[in-house]
Amino acid sequence: MSTQQEAANIGKVLNFLREWDRGDRTVRSRMLNTFVTQNTGKTFYELECEFAQVSSLFLARLTTWMRLTYMFGTFLGLQLRAVRIFLSASSHDQYLMEFLEDGGVLTLLDILSHTQSKEEDKAEALHLLLTVSNAGRKYKEIICESHGVKVIAECLADSNTEETQETAWALLESLSHGNPKYQTQIYKSLIALMTCSSPKAQQLVLHTLRTVQSKTKTAHHSIVEPLLNMLRSLHLEVQDAAINLILDLKCYDVRPVLLSGLVALLRPTKEETNSHQFTEEAEMIKVTGSLAVFVQQAAAAKAIRLLGEKDQQLSHELLSLGVIQCLLHSVANREHTDAQIQASLALEHFVRSFPAIEEPVQRVMGSALFAAFMHKAETLYMNLDETQAEILLNNKVNITGVLDGENCDG
């Protein structure tokens, strides 16, 4: 470029900046629309050429205007899209550093926290934070130092759109990689997020939690209760994700509490499944609550089977916790077929893996029912009458001596 061309370009940029400084919000929005249209996808060097090597002056103005006006929502989406052009410019992190030095990360986090922010603006702010996080460890630490993990987690839990949820999840996932200083903080935030009400958010959280847990030498004790509660979900993808995490945790120090918790879920208390009120609303609550408890019972039986099939030692531990008596109880739950099926399949695993268990189980079931069970466990519920169900519900089977292969008595 000749000296004359350079001078003309500089003059053009100075006029642009002057118009920006003097313009009202309508003028600035028009200028931003033009900027976004003409510069999306450009590299750092292309932007520098376009702005005569002083593009940083425009970025600073843009960041300042956004910081002063974001709480009013004035052209916020447009401002964020313009900022993204700078932060996404390849081959250089100069814009990124300048944006951070101008308080850009704090502004983006404030946008996420602001109750009046639109969902699409929150999603755009999350995309920008994801760009920051993906730039490297020091950038991840800046977000975390600004209490970003808490803000992002709350955004994921409270959001009602999939784009915002998925972008918040992707950001937490990004922050969890190559960020050892804040790994524990992220881990605990994910555990806290397990209690959120959105099934989509729960599924995303469980996915990231498995990744983070695999990098952690111990499991925090607070993970067990919300994880077991997730087995109540009526959404199969959430249940499956929870069971997968349970299978992962078999190698961690929470294993004894987790196993005893699963066994306890096979025998829900009467308080959990019954209501003493008789209003129409109370009846609906009772039905819904009972369904969730029975769904949890079925999921616990499935998890127990999968744990036992993967590890003989785990099967021994479950036997010592009285799992056979509890599985027989679940088999008798004529109010929920899936609980019966899952419990039957789990019981079949133990009976076939430990032949000594066969005799006491047969004694409780009776020969005909036991034969049907051994022929096809998943259809046992079809052969179960009310009298047999009552016997199984109140069974007192006590398996002893099986852990080392000795005889059983029941």
Side-chain angles (χ1 to χ4, degrees), residues 13-14 16-21 27-36 39 47-48 50-66 78-79 81-83 85-86 95 98-99 102:
V13 171
L14 291 176
F16 176 87
L17 296 176
R18 192 177 298 113
E19 183 181 4
W20 176 273
D21 293 340
V27 170
R28 290 183 177 183
S29 69
R30 174 182 53 76
M31 295 174 71
L32 274 189
N33 268 311
T34 303
F35 172 79
V36 170
N39 295 283
L47 287 171
E48 285 296 289
E50 177 74 20
F51 279 85
Q53 313 304 313
V54 293
S55 54
S56 295
L57 295 178
F58 179 50
L59 175 59
R61 284 166 167 77
L62 174 56
T63 305
T64 300
W65 189 41
M66 183 172 69
L78 186 57
Q79 292 168 335
R81 288 194 297 277
V83 170
I85 289 173
F86 284 103
Y95 296 145
E98 290 169 354
F99 180 69
D102 282 341

Side-chain angles (χ1 to χ4, degrees), residues 152-285:
I152 297 159
E154 289 174 353
C155 187
L156 173 57
D158 298 337
S159 173
N160 51 24
T161 66
E162 281 203 9
E163 183 187 4
T164 307
Q165 287 180 327
E166 289 181 354
T167 312
W169 162 71
L171 180 51
L172 287 174
E173 182 92 356
S174 173
L175 290 172
S176 72
H177 293 289
N179 189 15
K181 184 177 177 181
Y182 289 95
Q183 185 169 290
T184 300
Q185 182 190 105
I186 295 166
Y187 176 55
K188 290 181 178 179
S189 294
L190 289 168
I191 291 175
L193 266 177
M194 293 168 74
T195 59
C196 70
S197 58
S198 164
K200 178 67 175 179
Q202 289 177 334
Q203 184 186 359
L204 294 172
V205 167
L206 285 167
H207 177 88
T208 303
L209 198 46
R210 287 189 72 194
T211 304
V212 174
Q213 185 65 69
S214 67
K215 304 173 191 174
T216 308
K217 292 182 179 179
T218 61
H220 199 274
H221 63 89
S222 64
I223 198 173
V224 176
E225 184 178 349
L227 180 56
L228 293 178
N229 284 336
M230 278 190 165
L231 296 179
R232 292 187 176 209
S233 176
L234 303 184
H235 298 265
L236 189 59
E237 62 275 11
V238 175
Q239 260 196 45
D240 287 344
I243 289 174
N244 285 332
L245 181 53
I246 287 171
L247 296 179
D248 292 345
L249 289 173
K250 73 183 190 306
C251 302
Y252 289 85
D253 45 346
V254 295
R255 169 167 158 167
V257 181
L258 193 60
L259 294 183
S260 60
L262 285 170
V263 172
L265 294 180
L266 296 175
R267 298 191 70 158
T269 63
K270 289 183 179 179
E271 288 75 17
E272 289 178 299
T273 56
N274 292 322
S275 170
H276 300 296
Q277 296 173 283
F278 298 101
T279 64
E280 186 176 333
E281 183 181 0
E283 185 63 25
M284 181 60 69
I285 293 171

Side-chain angles (χ1 to χ4, degrees), residues 12-189:
K12 179 179 127 184
V13 171
L14 291 176
N15 285 333
F16 176 87
L17 296 176
R18 192 177 298 113
E19 183 181 4
W20 176 273
D21 293 340
R22 293 174 178 173
D24 59 14
R25 64 181 188 173
T26 304
V27 170
R28 290 183 177 183
S29 69
R30 174 182 53 76
M31 295 174 71
L32 274 189
N33 268 311
T34 303
F35 172 79
V36 170
T37 302
Q38 294 180 351
N39 295 283
T40 296
K42 285 189 176 179
T43 66
F44 169 81
Y45 299 103
E46 288 170 332
L47 287 171
E48 285 296 289
C49 183
E50 177 74 20
F51 279 85
Q53 313 304 313
V54 293
S55 54
S56 295
L57 295 178
F58 179 50
L59 175 59
R61 284 166 167 77
L62 174 56
T63 305
T64 300
W65 189 41
M66 183 172 69
R67 188 170 64 245
L68 293 174
T69 62
Y70 75 84
M71 68 285 295
F72 308 115
T74 308
F75 306 113
L76 179 56
L78 186 57
Q79 292 168 335
L80 290 167
R81 288 194 297 277
V83 170
R84 198 204 280 211
I85 289 173
F86 284 103
L87 299 196
S88 301
S90 57
S91 309
H92 213 285
D93 65 354
Q94 178 181 317
Y95 296 145
L96 193 54
M97 289 305 301
E98 290 169 354
F99 180 69
L100 299 184
E101 288 167 2
D102 282 341
V105 164
L106 288 172
T107 301
L108 294 175
L109 293 173
D110 283 345
I111 290 169
L112 296 181
S113 302
H114 191 51
T115 55
Q116 301 304 314
S117 295
K118 298 175 184 176
E119 283 292 316
E120 55 265 33
D121 292 340
K122 287 184 179 182
E124 190 64 47
L126 287 165
H127 278 297
L128 289 176
L129 286 167
L130 182 58
T131 300
V132 175
S133 177
N134 287 341
R137 176 174 171 176
K138 67 178 180 179
Y139 299 105
K140 297 177 196 290
E141 291 182 351
I142 289 171
I143 295 173
C144 294
E145 285 164 5
S146 304
H147 307 290
V149 174
K150 180 176 182 291
V151 173
I152 297 159
E154 289 174 353
C155 187
L156 173 57
D158 298 337
S159 173
N160 51 24
T161 66
E162 281 203 9
E163 183 187 4
T164 307
Q165 287 180 327
E166 289 181 354
T167 312
W169 162 71
L171 180 51
L172 287 174
E173 182 92 356
S174 173
L175 290 172
S176 72
H177 293 289
N179 189 15
K181 184 177 177 181
Y182 289 95
Q183 185 169 290
T184 300
Q185 182 190 105
I186 295 166
Y187 176 55
K188 290 181 178 179
S189 294

